[in-house]
């Protein structure tokens, strides 16, 4: 039995408009939420054309020369903007009938390229029971025929499996938004006795330790600790079996250990170096994000909501550091990376 994707109705019109305006093909991303029970697709986003295509009105080449790097870069940028609980669920291609045979091979390549790009920047590991199927949607621009398949991105040799694509209205109307603010103050020590300093690598190591602290923290929903199998909407007023149309908001607080994180990994050698500045200088990279808040759109039980919340907190800070290093490289040259 294949997976079923419940898709926001507006996406159908969006894809139909793309199929009439853009030839011979157009690619894009599918945004939504997956869980062991069901998958939701709430947005489709086309791959933006390159500047030279926009300026010179150059038509797209054949699928054999599709620009994977451009598409994966777009996926990374989109992923940075998504709130917790939402992710890039797959890729779509709308192509003319003569390109239909090539489309499935192109989709398979893109699915794995996009997932590899997104996985590389994560500071957390997926759970063993986590859904690893990603959608590959193929649409014929002439007949409007829709074919949805999935690939297991954890298996490089994975073959396509059929999936259902069902349109529904107001998919996210009853979802709950979890609002969270976290103050972050991280010190990352760099020893002067080390011959080389890769600031990006050291910062990522420091963030890995901080992310572990976030994963081990206690989370309070509206001031309460909830059991993993508790439904977030439990006890809230329902109308005819459905949640009220207005968005439900819950406040989340994060309780972390009081001990500063960097004392967990400072060795005696490092501490001795720190207190002897005449022999070696102790460098510190100071990161401060006073507050960040995102909406976390969740439909499942507390355990899955908590997982999405933790990952979004970790991703938010990691993405900001990544943007910082990209800015240094672009504006000041690659040598500034260290």
């Amino acid at each position: 039995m294949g997976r079923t994707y419940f898709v926001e109705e507006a996406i159908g019109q969006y894809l139909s408009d793309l199929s009439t305006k853009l030839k011979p093909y157009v690619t894009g991303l599918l945004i939504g939420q997956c869980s062991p029970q069901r998958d939701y697709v709430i947005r489709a986003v086309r791959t933006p054309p390159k500047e030279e295509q926009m300026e010179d009105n150059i038509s797209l080449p054949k699928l054999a020369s599709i620009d994977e790097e451009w598409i994966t870069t777009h996926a990374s940028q989109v992923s940075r903007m998504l709130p917790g609980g939402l992710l890039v669920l797959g890729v779509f291609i709308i192509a003319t009938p003569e390109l239909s045979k090539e489309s499935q091979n192109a989709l398979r390549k893109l699915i794995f390229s996009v997932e590899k790009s997104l996985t590389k920047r994560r500071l957390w590991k997926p759970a063993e029971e986590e859904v690893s199927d990603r959608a590959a949607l193929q649409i014929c621009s002439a007949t409007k025929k829709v074919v949805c398949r999935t690939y297991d991105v954890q298996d490089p040799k994975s073959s396509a499996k059929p999936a259902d694509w069902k349109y529904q209205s107001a998919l996210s109307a009853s979802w709950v938004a979890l609002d969270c603010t976290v103050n972050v103050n991280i010190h990352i020590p760099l020893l002067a006795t080390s011959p080389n300093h890769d600031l990006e690598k050291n910062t990522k190591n420091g963030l890995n330790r901080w992310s572990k602290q976030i994963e081990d923290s206690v989370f309070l929903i509206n001031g309460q600790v909830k059991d993993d199998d508790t439904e977030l909407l439990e006890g809230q007023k329902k109308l005819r079996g459905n949640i009220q149309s207005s968005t439900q908001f819950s406040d989340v607080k994060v309780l972390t250990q009081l001990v500063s994180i960097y004392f967990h990994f400072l060795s005696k050698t490092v501490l001795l170096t720190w207190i002897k500045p005449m022999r070696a200088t102790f460098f510190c990279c100071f990161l401060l994000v006073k507050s960040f808040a995102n909406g976390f759109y969740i439909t499942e039980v507390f355990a899955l909501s908590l997982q999405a919340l933790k990952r979004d907190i970790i991703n938010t800070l990691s993405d900001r550091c990544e943007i910082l290093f990209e800015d240094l490289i672009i504006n000041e040259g690659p040598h500034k990376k260290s």
Side-chain angles (χ1 to χ4, degrees):
M1 183 68 181
R3 300 192 70 80
T4 298
Y5 291 90
F6 295 94
V7 188
E8 184 63 52
E9 277 185 342
I11 293 177
Q13 186 59 52
Y14 175 76
L15 296 175
S16 179
D17 291 342
L18 288 180
S19 67
T20 58
K21 296 175 183 177
L22 301 168
K23 301 288 178 67
Y25 74 89
V26 61
T27 62
L29 307 172
L30 301 172
I31 310 299
Q33 183 183 104
C34 63
S35 70
Q37 289 78 25
R38 57 182 60 190
D39 300 309
Y40 302 91
V41 181
I42 62 170
R43 289 288 185 276
V45 186
R46 64 161 292 196
T47 306
K50 287 190 171 182
E51 290 183 6
E52 57 266 27
Q53 290 175 340
M54 297 176 65
E55 293 172 359
D56 303 330
N57 196 26
I58 300 173
S59 61
L60 294 169
K62 289 195 174 183
L63 286 172
S65 58
I66 199 166
D67 193 337
E68 289 185 34
E69 184 179 357
W70 181 255
I71 294 171
T72 55
T73 299
H74 177 231
S76 295
Q77 292 175 346
V78 169
S79 181
R80 285 174 176 174
M81 296 185 287
L82 296 178
L86 298 183
L87 70 156
V88 177
L89 275 183
V91 179
F92 71 82
I93 286 183
I94 304 172
T96 55
E98 54 268 25
L99 294 178
S100 60
K101 290 184 179 180
E102 299 177 52
S103 297
Q104 199 56 40
N105 289 332
L107 276 171
R108 191 184 193 284
K109 285 183 180 180
L110 290 176
I111 286 286
F112 284 92
S113 294
V114 166
E115 187 65 21
K116 182 179 179 181
S117 175
L118 298 179
T119 303
K120 186 170 59 176
R121 43 186 282 274
R122 291 176 186 159
L123 296 179
W124 45 267
K125 293 182 179 180
E128 290 184 5
E129 68 279 6
E130 197 156 338
V131 177
S132 57
D133 286 345
R134 295 294 180 264
L137 185 70
Q138 180 181 352
I139 301 176
C140 177
S141 59
T143 64
K144 311 301 181 186
K145 181 181 178 181
V146 175
V147 178
C148 185
R149 299 182 177 93
T150 61
Y151 291 94
D152 183 354
V153 291
Q154 296 297 324
D155 179 11
K157 298 180 180 179
S158 171
S159 56
K161 293 179 289 186
D164 291 330
W165 186 262
K166 297 183 178 181
Y167 289 109
Q168 289 187 3
S169 61
L171 273 181
S172 58
S174 62
W175 290 10
V176 180
L178 304 183
D179 186 62
C180 182
T181 300
V182 179
N183 294 309
V184 182
N185 184 346
I186 308 174
H187 290 81
I188 300 174
L190 304 174
L191 273 177
T193 52
S194 177
N196 296 303
H197 290 297
D198 187 329
L199 187 57
E200 183 175 10
K201 181 179 178 180
N202 279 280
T203 300
K204 189 170 184 178
N205 289 338
L207 291 181
N208 272 315
R209 291 182 283 265
W210 171 79
S211 66
K212 182 67 168 61
Q213 187 188 39
I214 292 296
E215 290 178 349
D216 294 341
S217 298
V218 175
F219 284 68
L220 305 180
I221 306 291
N222 293 329
Q224 299 179 334
V225 177
K226 293 181 177 289
D227 294 330
D228 287 350
D229 58 351
T230 302
E231 292 186 8
L232 285 181
L233 303 178
E234 188 178 65
Q236 297 187 22
K237 185 180 178 181
K238 298 185 178 182
L239 297 175
R240 296 181 182 179
N242 295 319
I243 302 302
Q244 302 175 79
S245 58
S246 58
T247 304
Q248 303 289 319
F249 285 89
S250 294
D251 179 65
V252 181
K253 296 193 183 306
V254 183
L255 306 181
T256 60
Q257 294 181 1
L258 293 177
V259 181
S260 298
I261 187 169
Y262 52 90
F263 283 109
H264 290 295
F265 62 88
L266 287 178
S267 65
K268 292 182 180 179
T269 304
V270 175
L271 288 172
L272 286 173
T273 306
W274 194 357
I275 61 177
K276 294 181 180 179
M278 296 302 291
R279 295 181 58 185
T281 307
F282 190 87
F283 294 96
C284 181
C285 176
F286 177 71
L287 304 175
L288 175 62
V289 179
K290 288 189 177 179
S291 67
F292 54 88
N294 286 321
F296 300 88
Y297 302 99
I298 305 299
T299 61
E300 301 293 340
V301 295
F302 175 63
L304 293 178
S305 306
L306 183 61
Q307 181 188 79
L309 188 62
K310 290 179 178 179
R311 289 178 179 180
D312 192 75
I313 291 171
I314 295 168
N315 287 345
T316 300
L317 188 58
S318 175
D319 288 343
R320 292 187 181 194
C321 291
E322 195 174 77
I323 292 169
L324 168 66
F325 290 118
E326 287 176 357
D327 185 63
L328 287 174
I329 293 171
I330 291 171
N331 297 321
E332 301 184 42
H335 62 283
K336 289 294 182 181
K337 190 175 181 179
S338 299

